[in-house]
Each structure stands twice: as C-alpha cells, then as structure tokens.
Amino acid sequence: MLGEGLIISLVIIGVTYYIIREYRGDGEKSSIYECGYMPYREIRVPYTVGFILVGILFMLFDVEVGYLYPWAVIQGGLLGEGYWVGIVFIVIVTIGLIYEWMRGGLEWGGSRNGVNKA
C-alpha cells in the first residue's frame, strides 16, 4: 500500500509538473507585490531573533490555553489529584512567563534587560 501511494504521488507530481504546467513568467508577474504599492526596499530580509522568539512564546501560551480550557471545563468533576496537577501546570507556565518577561523576551522594539538600544 505504501508503494502504491508513492507511485501514485510521483505520477501526479510528474503529470502536473511536466505535462500540464505552462510557464508564463515575465517581469511583472514575478515582481514583489505589496498591497498595490511599489516596494521601497528589498522584502527578502531575514527575520530578527526577537521576532522568532515572540512567535515561539505565542505558540507556547496558545498551546497552554488548549490544555487549560478542557481542564477548566471539567474542573468540578476532578478529584484532588487532577485539580492539583492543573494548578502545578499553571504555576510552571507562569514562572516561565515571568522569567521571559524579566529577561526582556516579550519586548518587541529591541530592548533587552532594560537597556534600550535606540
């Protein structure tokens, strides 16, 4: 079954790439489009590490909410152990949030450890 799936996938990719596809490349079509305005600088600049860290933190706390919502819904039916496991989880994540806050990981403008680089 795995082999059949691989063969079908390769056939579909080959057909779409080599037979069906039409190349219609021109300068206007492959130019950078920025909401109707001409771009004023190169758009392919690397992201800063701070942007990536804020994104990772957002995902971390987003997943936390995904775990906490069902726990909060059934909190009344939990026995003592289930309640305290949730509380320990909240405390650990809160300590992580305080740590990141104190280290400047939530600052967007490039400020780290209370020192502004501007």
Side-chain angles (χ1 to χ4, degrees), residues 6-90:
L6 183 64
I7 290 172
I8 290 173
S9 298
L10 291 175
V11 167
I12 290 173
I13 290 172
V15 166
T16 57
Y17 189 73
Y18 291 109
I19 298 173
I20 298 175
R21 179 184 78 139
E22 286 184 35
Y23 180 71
R24 295 183 192 164
D26 60 357
E28 188 69 30
K29 195 171 202 176
S30 44
S31 69
I32 301 170
Y33 179 73
E34 220 175 277
C35 300
Y37 297 105
M38 292 300 294
Y40 55 89
R41 64 180 174 91
E42 178 63 32
I43 204 164
R44 292 179 183 95
V45 294
Y47 290 114
T48 62
V49 174
F51 179 79
I52 295 170
L53 287 176
V54 169
I56 290 172
L57 287 172
F58 171 75
M59 290 303 297
L60 172 75
F61 291 110
D62 191 40
V63 168
E64 172 202 355
V65 169
Y67 282 119
L68 286 179
Y69 185 75
W71 176 78
V73 169
I74 64 166
Q75 182 180 352
L78 289 175
L79 299 175
E81 184 180 347
Y83 175 77
W84 290 110
V85 166
I87 294 297
V88 167
F89 178 72
I90 291 172

Side-chain angles (χ1 to χ4, degrees), residues 97-107 111-114:
L97 175 63
I98 292 170
Y99 175 77
E100 280 298 318
W101 195 343
M102 293 182 74
R103 295 280 300 171
L106 301 177
E107 297 293 327
S111 156
R112 294 276 182 203
N113 296 329

